[in-house]
Amino acid sequence: MKQLKSNKERDDWTKKLLNVVNLRPEEGERTLVMLIAYTITSIGLLWLEQSTIALFLEHFGAEGLPIIYIASALMGSGLGILYSWLQNNFPLKRVFLVVALLMAIPLVFFRIGLEIGAADGFIVLATVFILRLWLDAEEILNDLNSQVAANQLFNIREIKRTYPIISSGLLIGDVVSGFSLPVLLFLIGLKNVIILASLVLLLGGFTFLYLANRYKQAFPDTPVRELDELESTYTSKRMSGTIRRYIIPLFAFFILGELLFLLVEFQYLGELERVYPDTEAIAGFLGLFSGILGICELATQWFVSSRAVERLGVFVAAMFLPVSLSVLGFCTILFNITNVGGLNINSAQILFFGIIIIRFFDELLRYTLIAGIEPFLFQPLPAEIRGSIQTQVQGIAEPLTTGLTGLGIISIVWLLGHLLGDWDEEMARQVQGGVFVVAIVLFSVVWALSALLLRQSYITLLVQSAEQGRLGFGSVDLKAFKRAIVESLDGKTTDSDKRSCIQLLERIDLPNAGEILAPRLAKLSPALQRQCMEAMLEYPQATYLKDVQRLIQTRPELEVLALSLRYIWLSQPQLDTHTLKPYLNQRVDPMVRGTATGLILSRGSDEDRQSAIATLEKMLTSERERERIIGVQALQVTDRDANLTQSYLPQLLQDDSARVRCTLLATIAKKRLEDYYPSLLKGLYYRSTRDAAKQSLIALGDEALPMLTILAEDVRKADYIRLQAWSAMSEIGSEIALKTLVQQLLTSWGTSRRNLLRIILKIPGDRGIEMVLDQLGRSGVEELIQQELLLLGQMFAAEMDLPAEVVSGREADLLRSAIVGLQSDITDRCFLIMKLLYPFSSMQAAILNLDSDSEVSVALGLEILDNTVDLPQKQILLRVLENRPTADRLSDMEEMVPYEVMTPSDRLRRLLDLRHFLSDWTLACCFHLAREQRWGVTREAALVGLRHPSSFVREAVLTYLKVASPKTCYELLPVLQDDPDPLVASQVDSLKNEFTQRKVKGKSLPVKTQT
């Protein structure tokens, strides 16, 4: 007992810890192992990096770095091609092993080369140069390894939560390697650190290998194919002018960022070479610098980075680094010119300290703020080209920039060497350093300007993306988004564009919408003025009264005037309603009159309220539809006149005008009239009031959930009514509503499950998907697919045991057709469930291919699934989806659904045992075939069929009983004579008359009581 209690406490503690870091329980172990693997390899790489840089500076100096940059650019592309080839031709487990050996074994030979080279200077130079080049190769291989492993191990939604934690391994590696390197230099020496790094890298590689074996379903034994091009066949890659205008500064932003990184690194290492001539001293400094920087990076990433982006916006955060570099560089130049009077330091020392500070801030902000905003910059791009553009930026533009920067540095160094050939070496070095600091300042300013240009295109494209439904508001810079709305409202855009902007503003920040809309009211068209006032009325504030009064002075349209008057009064509770009494006159437009009536009824004196009540009664009983509608709207703001509402509501619910009834439903929801909530549900049954009833139920929020749940769970209700209830729950969108949908997903089947899945998948921001994964976990979703496949196996078995050669006739053909249709439905539900785990685009591409009649397209669809899905049942699913005979597919499912040959009658009874999982039509076909073939069914199946919610199933059972057991049928007729379906009731009457005439006394085939 104590052991169980201890385990429970440990599990609770684990769940709380995972909740703190925003992980689900099933993600914890995978994330931890991945973090360990990434941290281990980062420590090894950083030891290698710091040791290699020290050796390179000793033998080549910083002047040799540009050649490394050029060679690295070429090598990076080659390694990318090599890794892609390995992926395409070998399982990932072997790829991890090959990469681990490729990263570790050459280091041993490099160490031997350094030892041999002690007697031969050329061998040392060659070894150090190749080692420095190989360092870049190791970093590329490690990045590829970690990204591929993470993408295989986590789906697209999981990786959003887990990768920030995994990437912290690099920062942890910075701290550990940085502070441990000076100790290692003292204990084993610089050259032996390379051997230790190779052992640690090998350990990291084997950790990735353990990961692949631990989670076999994520790392299949088949090669991974690159299918981006194949999937993109079914997506449009056409780029609008707006997208092109955005992509150009996007490329410039990343190109300039890479260029500045290389300039800072070149000058930083050059200064270290000048100040620290001893190799081990350089390595020790690099280690301590890396350790201190790592601590600052961790603190910044965990506590500052996300908050800075959230509060300041993406582009202010993006400009921190270029502005910091330009300011620090300018200060370094300024201090050099002025000689920093009062401080006992020379120009060389100023340059050294300046570059160290620049390097510190460059790495600190680059790997925290800049790394954090990179995903935001790609978000406005359409999904179908986003991956391609990102690949071009990181795989082509940045490596090309590295090579060109290397050529540029070589050119500048050569030119300065030619111009300053007669100068003192130390002075020439300072001049060269000053030139590069000036270059850093200039390019930093250009980088900051590119960020401004990027922002202008970003906000335009952002609004465009949101209008087209391609953007989730949780993944964008809302400050930039609101600036885009302001520019659109102030610019020469069409009313349609402005209307879209106002709608977007309502969605992202309705409480503060008045801040943007109020100052622009008088400049907008009447339709937009009305839209703005309706939005501002949700949160009336006295702050914007002057803007609203200015609008009234322009004599707007009556509807706008009414809304403005209402805003003024709602935002000023202290005003006397007596001044509104003249607006109650019958000659005043109904819109203004209704507004004045509602305000007086909610806040006026007893005397004024009596006049308002009389006016409202006349409006509610008016022959004109518009007056009745406005009168009902006025009821929404009456807080103290329950009797008035109760007196007229029953009559208005029967109003001939659908518009009046719709307005009344909104009033019931607005005033929370619980006695009339059933009317809201009843409104769902009629096309004219369905939308209004649904919106009213949504307005009730969680209060409507019990009613909607009862309605949705009632299997006797029509599918479209239950669909409306689920849809309303999804639009309510509260945590309770989403949990209710998930619970109903577990207990539903067939059409209901399909409808629920579609609704959950459509909930904005993937909130429905996240709730499913929170409630069920990945294992629960996999269990749903398992259920579907089990049923699919039973349908294959039924198709095998009910062949046309053995069972013929129209009824048999109908049943076989229903079974084939059910198989298709099951496949559709499997794909819907898989969309909970995998990218929509991949699933959609697979569906489009598998639906094709072309064998090539079907093979392509299966290939997409093979490389996207990592389910335990993946191989069975793939084999089942192939266009092969049913017998072969059933054989492939032998492990999951053992097949036993049955007689046709036994197989039909087996289908009836599965009646809860069959479609209504399939179940009806079973009874029709049983009647035609004179097969007996169980008493339970017959009785349950008579209570089935679908009328044609009850009709089929009655038809069967008439033939199979007339006596039983006759005895049940009194129970069925009040059937709600007129066709079934008519059939009952017909059978009753027939039995009465024949006076049958039970001469029949008895109903079987067992299968």
Side-chain angles (χ1 to χ4, degrees), residues 508-569:
I508 63 173
D509 194 15
L510 182 58
N512 299 312
E515 180 183 349
I516 293 175
L517 300 179
R520 296 165 177 82
L521 283 171
K523 301 176 183 177
L524 298 175
S525 65
L528 295 178
Q529 288 173 344
R530 177 182 176 181
Q531 185 182 4
C532 291
M533 289 307 308
E534 287 174 346
M536 292 170 60
L537 274 168
E538 295 292 330
Y539 295 91
Q541 300 178 37
T543 312
Y544 312 121
L545 277 175
K546 290 184 179 179
D547 296 305
V548 177
Q549 288 169 344
R550 194 178 301 117
L551 173 63
I552 293 174
Q553 292 172 1
T554 63
R555 297 185 178 181
E557 290 187 354
L558 290 171
E559 290 188 3
V560 178
L561 175 61
L563 292 170
S564 303
L565 288 173
R566 188 177 174 199
Y567 186 91
I568 289 173
W569 283 87

Side-chain angles (χ1 to χ4, degrees), residues 21 23 27-43 146 149-150 153-154 162-173 204 207-208 211 298 301-302:
V21 293
L23 291 178
E27 298 166 354
E29 182 184 343
R30 285 179 288 161
T31 305
L32 178 61
V33 177
M34 189 71 196
L35 174 63
I36 292 171
Y38 195 51
T39 302
I40 290 173
T41 52
S42 296
I43 291 171
S146 58
L153 201 59
F154 304 101
T162 58
Y163 202 72
I165 297 171
I166 295 168
S167 62
S168 299
L170 176 61
L171 305 183
I172 296 171
T207 309
F208 278 114
L211 198 69
L298 277 172
Q301 179 157 323
W302 288 352

Side-chain angles (χ1 to χ4, degrees), residues 569 572-581 603-605 608:
W569 283 87
Q572 299 181 94
Q574 72 278 7
L575 290 182
D576 184 4
T577 57
H578 186 71
T579 55
L580 288 172
K581 205 169 180 181
R603 290 166 45 187
S605 63
D608 291 341

